[in-house]
């Protein structure tokens, strides 16, 4: 009697029956594959859980820390949420201690982080300039304020505020010509048709006008 041809037998099966036959032959391989995949998924989820727990622990530690404790925590966790705002706390604490060079460095680093909203970065630039002035570097402070004034990405109110601060320092340095040159266009500027100045711009422009008129 002729031996049945296995290939002919498999050809006679339906697709579903072929799959069932393949699974019967290879169930061990399939089970191993499933186990390997399951282990990988569990490992991935475990790593994410551990990472998320670590991040949350670091965030809570930073949020509840005293200013003097923050530098070490930030050094260990430089990229966790809240780290940038913590750097501002460090800078302000350094200012309170009259460490103006250290505070300026922290403010400058914060201001260079493009992931931070522009207005916060701008305020950090103002603070860095103030550190220069407190440290007795009046000319450098005036130049830092003028850089803000000349930055077209900064809001109108902040630019006018920067002009006022720079002009104030120039007058204190008795550089009246430079102060006039800086303040005059701001003092005499008028809003474009249909584009009135915002409240902050009007406020600081008024300060600039008074400062400009005080120059003899």
């Amino acid at each position: 009697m002729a031996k049945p041809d296995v290939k002919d037998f498999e050809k006679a099966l339906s697709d579903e029956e072929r799959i069932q036959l393949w699974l019967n032959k290879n169930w061990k391989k399939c089970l191993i594959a499933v186990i390997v995949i399951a282990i990988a998924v569990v490992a991935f989820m475990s790593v994410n859980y551990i990472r998320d727990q670590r991040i949350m622990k670091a965030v809570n530690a930073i949020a509840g820390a005293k200013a003097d404790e923050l530098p070490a925590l930030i050094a260990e966790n430089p990229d966790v949420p809240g780290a940038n705002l913590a750097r501002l706390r460090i800078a302000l604490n350094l200012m309170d201690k009259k460490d103006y060079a250290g505070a300026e460095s922290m403010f400058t680093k914060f201001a260079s982080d493009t992931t931070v909203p522009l207005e916060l970065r701008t305020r950090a630039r103002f603070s860095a300039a103030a550190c220069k002035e407190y440290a007795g570097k009046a000319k450098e402070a005036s130049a830092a304020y003028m850089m803000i004034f000349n930055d077209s990405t900064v809001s109108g109110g902040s630019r006018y505020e920067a002009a006022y601060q720079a002009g104030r320092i120039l007058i204190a340095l008795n550089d009246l010509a430079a102060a006039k040159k800086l303040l005059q266009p701001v003092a005499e500027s008028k809003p474009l048709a249909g584009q009135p100045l915002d409240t902050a711009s009007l406020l600081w422009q008024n300060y600039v006008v008074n400062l400009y008129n005080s120059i003899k």
Side-chain angles (χ1 to χ4, degrees):
M1 184 175 179
K3 188 177 180 180
D5 191 329
V6 175
K7 293 183 178 180
D8 289 342
F9 171 73
E10 291 183 358
K11 288 180 180 179
L13 297 176
S14 65
D15 290 341
E16 184 176 348
E17 288 171 331
R18 283 199 197 97
I19 293 172
Q20 186 63 44
L21 179 62
W22 186 90
L23 290 174
N24 288 337
K25 289 180 179 180
N26 299 279
W27 66 271
K28 287 184 178 179
K29 293 180 181 178
C30 292
L31 180 58
I32 291 171
V34 169
I35 291 173
V36 169
I37 292 172
I39 291 173
V41 170
V42 170
F44 175 77
M45 293 178 66
S46 297
V47 169
N48 278 349
Y49 175 77
I50 293 171
R51 184 195 62 192
D52 291 344
Q53 289 296 103
R54 181 188 65 78
I55 290 174
M56 185 57 66
K57 183 178 179 180
V59 169
N60 290 335
I62 289 171
K66 296 179 181 179
D68 289 335
E69 299 170 339
L70 287 172
L73 291 172
I74 296 300
E76 293 176 3
N77 306 280
D79 300 319
V80 299
N84 271 327
L85 291 178
R87 290 187 179 95
L88 284 185
R89 286 182 59 199
I90 295 172
L92 292 170
N93 184 52
L94 291 173
M95 284 188 75
D96 288 341
K97 294 180 176 180
K98 299 187 181 341
D99 182 359
Y100 300 123
E104 180 190 344
S105 176
M106 294 299 297
F107 282 127
T108 301
K109 286 180 181 178
F110 183 90
S112 66
D113 186 347
T114 56
T115 65
V116 176
L118 177 60
E119 192 56 35
L120 280 178
R121 284 186 279 133
T122 301
R123 298 323 305 177
R125 292 173 69 183
F126 272 100
S127 296
C131 286
K132 290 180 183 294
E133 185 175 3
Y134 295 151
K137 302 174 182 177
K139 287 186 178 181
E140 291 183 22
S142 178
Y145 285 125
M146 289 180 70
M147 286 183 66
I148 299 173
F149 172 65
N150 291 321
D151 187 345
S152 60
T153 67
V154 174
S155 68
S158 292
R159 292 181 69 190
Y160 284 8
E161 179 184 356
Y164 173 85
Q165 300 294 355
R168 171 184 60 78
I169 294 174
L170 289 171
I171 291 173
L173 293 172
N174 204 35
D175 192 348
L176 303 185
K180 274 190 174 183
K181 184 178 180 180
L182 169 66
L183 296 173
Q184 184 174 5
V186 178
E188 297 177 353
S189 65
K190 296 180 181 179
L192 298 174
Q195 296 182 8
L197 294 174
D198 57 78
T199 303
S201 296
L202 288 171
L203 175 66
W204 283 105
Q205 185 187 40
N206 186 54
Y207 288 148
V208 168
V209 169
N210 292 335
L211 187 63
Y212 177 70
N213 289 337
S214 71
I215 300 175
K216 303 300 182 180

